[in-house]
Amino acid sequence: MPLRKLIAGNWKMHGLSSDLEQVAAIARAAADYPGVDVALCVPAILIERAARAVPGFAIGGQDVHQAEKGAHTGCTSALMLLDAGASLTIVGHSERRDAQRESDSDVKGKAEAALSVGLNVILCVGESLEVRQAGAAVGSVLDQLEASLPSTLAATAALAVAYEPIWAIGTGKIPTSDEIAEMHAAIRQKLRDRFAAAGEKIRILYGGSVKASNATEIFGIADVDGGLVGGASLTAADFMPIVAAAG
Ligand code: 13P
């Protein structure tokens, strides 16, 4: 049976107080799609206001620190996200793996820290263009996933894996349906190997240039259990047709 789809927006470093109107519009419109889980991962400083504005709607962070607390200037702990009203967080986005030099073991620590306080986690993996062109995409993503996954998992609904090919992010380029199917099937097998039957229930999202125009095709691919959407999640007008494509 197909898993219930999750469509999550990643606002990245976009969003001011005035954009809370879009959060409210998306939350209102999402209520028309009770069969789809919808979430918005907004900048940390907007989480509390967004969560207050749309009670019951899933607001998330985009990163979390692996330590419980301490001398980590500028960082946000899992408990802080939860305290601000977040119910989930992204970890291991390629923009952070690259610019903040986050390693697989950092990402694993972040996932475990978030899960330990009851946050849901979207764990990102994805290959560069060079790796794809060298024919090594599947092996590289599986290695990344193996080293980034939390050691244990109490609830399958708490974890989603997002496959985001780096070369597809913000570029308008997407892999072919066969490439997406091949990667998602390989990720599914890895999740089965790691978590046995529970691995069947972990959602695998596709991310990278998801738009209204390609969402129906992408969400129809086997083992694509939703999407992680960047640029097209910033307004209800762009985002809701993607949610509708999953409904
Ligand atoms: P775009 O949808 O803008 O390509 O971004 C994808 C992404 O990085 C989501 O985390």
Side-chain angles (χ1 to χ4, degrees), residues 126-128 131-142 163 167 182-183:
E127 83 285 358
S128 65
V131 168
R132 165 70 56 186
Q133 286 172 338
V138 172
S140 145
V141 165
L142 293 186
Y163 167 55
W167 51 274
E182 177 191 35
M183 187 64 81

Side-chain angles (χ1 to χ4, degrees), residues 72-142:
H72 303 289
T73 302
C75 299
T76 308
S77 74
L79 215 46
M80 289 172 186
L81 289 181
L82 194 70
D83 187 50
S87 57
L88 72 152
T89 187
I90 295 169
V91 299
H93 193 283
S94 59
E95 287 154 14
R96 295 198 58 85
R97 287 178 183 266
D98 179 29
Q100 268 68 40
R101 304 220 156 39
E102 290 183 2
S103 67
D104 292 336
S105 83
D106 292 333
V107 174
K108 176 180 180 182
K110 287 165 184 271
E112 289 177 346
L115 291 168
S116 76
V117 303
L119 289 169
N120 292 341
V121 165
I122 298 175
L123 193 166
C124 302
V125 289
E127 83 285 358
S128 65
L129 187 58
E130 297 70 52
V131 168
R132 165 70 56 186
Q133 286 172 338
V138 172
S140 145
V141 165
L142 293 186

Side-chain angles (χ1 to χ4, degrees), residues 9 13 24 54 63 73 78 147 149 198 210 219-220 246:
M13 201 169 74
V54 290
D63 175 46
T73 302
L149 280 170
V210 176
F219 298 157

Side-chain angles (χ1 to χ4, degrees), residues 10 12 90 93-95 124 164 168-172 207-211 228-232:
N10 174 10
K12 308 191 179 185
I90 295 169
H93 193 283
S94 59
E95 287 154 14
C124 302
E164 298 205 310
I169 295 176
T171 59
S209 295
V210 176
K211 296 184 179 20
L228 183 57
V229 185

